[in-house]
Amino acid sequence: QVQLVESGGGLVQPGGSLRLSCEASGNIFRLIAMGWYRQAPGKERDLVASITGGASFKYGDSVKGRFTISRGNANNITYLQMNSLEADDTAVYYCNVVGYSDYVTHFSAWGQGTQVTVSS
C-alpha cells in the first residue's frame, strides 16, 4: 500500500551535481527511515545514504563529503544531493522507506530506480 516514485536521474559530467527525489504515498502511519541505495551492473546493491528519526545520518564511505540526504518540508519526500560526481557513481539509484502502515504493521518499500550516469 506504500508506493515510492523517484525522479531526478540522468546524464551528468564528472564533477557535476544532481539531485534525486523520492516521494512516498499510501498507508503511512509513521516513517522510521528513508534511504538511498545504488546498484551497478554485476555489483551488489549497497547503501548510499540514509536518514533515521529526526536527524540521524549515515553515508557510504565512497560518497561521504560529496552526497547529502535530506527530508523535504513534507514528511513523505526525501532528497539525495550529489556533488562532485565521479564515473564510479554511475548506477541505478533506489529509494527505500521503512516505517509503520498502522500501529503494529511495519513496511519496507522501494522505488522503481532511476539511472544516474556520470560520463564526459
Side-chain angles (χ1 to χ4, degrees):
Q1 294 297 315
V2 179
Q3 298 83 39
L4 307 183
V5 178
E6 303 178 31
S7 62
L11 176 64
V12 187
Q13 296 181 4
S17 298
L18 198 66
R19 188 173 77 160
L20 306 182
S21 299
C22 175
E23 300 178 17
S25 62
N27 296 334
I28 303 174
F29 174 69
R30 182 169 71 90
L31 290 173
I32 298 175
M34 306 185 77
W36 292 91
Y37 295 75
R38 68 186 183 185
Q39 186 171 26
K43 299 181 180 179
E44 297 288 332
R45 184 179 300 186
D46 55 11
L47 174 70
V48 177
S50 66
I51 178 171
T52 302
S56 296
F57 302 94
K58 185 176 182 179
Y59 293 94
D61 290 339
S62 64
V63 306
K64 185 177 180 180
R66 300 187 297 118
F67 291 9
T68 303
I69 188 171
S70 63
R71 296 278 296 275
N73 291 331
N75 61 10
N76 65 340
I77 187 168
T78 185
Y79 302 101
L80 181 67
Q81 178 66 47
M82 303 183 292
N83 298 326
S84 301
L85 284 162
E86 306 169 354
D88 286 345
D89 295 319
T90 297
V92 177
Y93 285 70
Y94 297 90
C95 179
N96 172 247
V97 177
V98 297
Y100 298 93
S101 56
D102 55 35
Y103 286 102
V104 299
T105 305
H106 290 75
F107 72 86
S108 177
W110 291 89
Q112 81 281 6
T114 184
Q115 177 71 48
V116 173
T117 302
V118 184
S119 176
S120 299

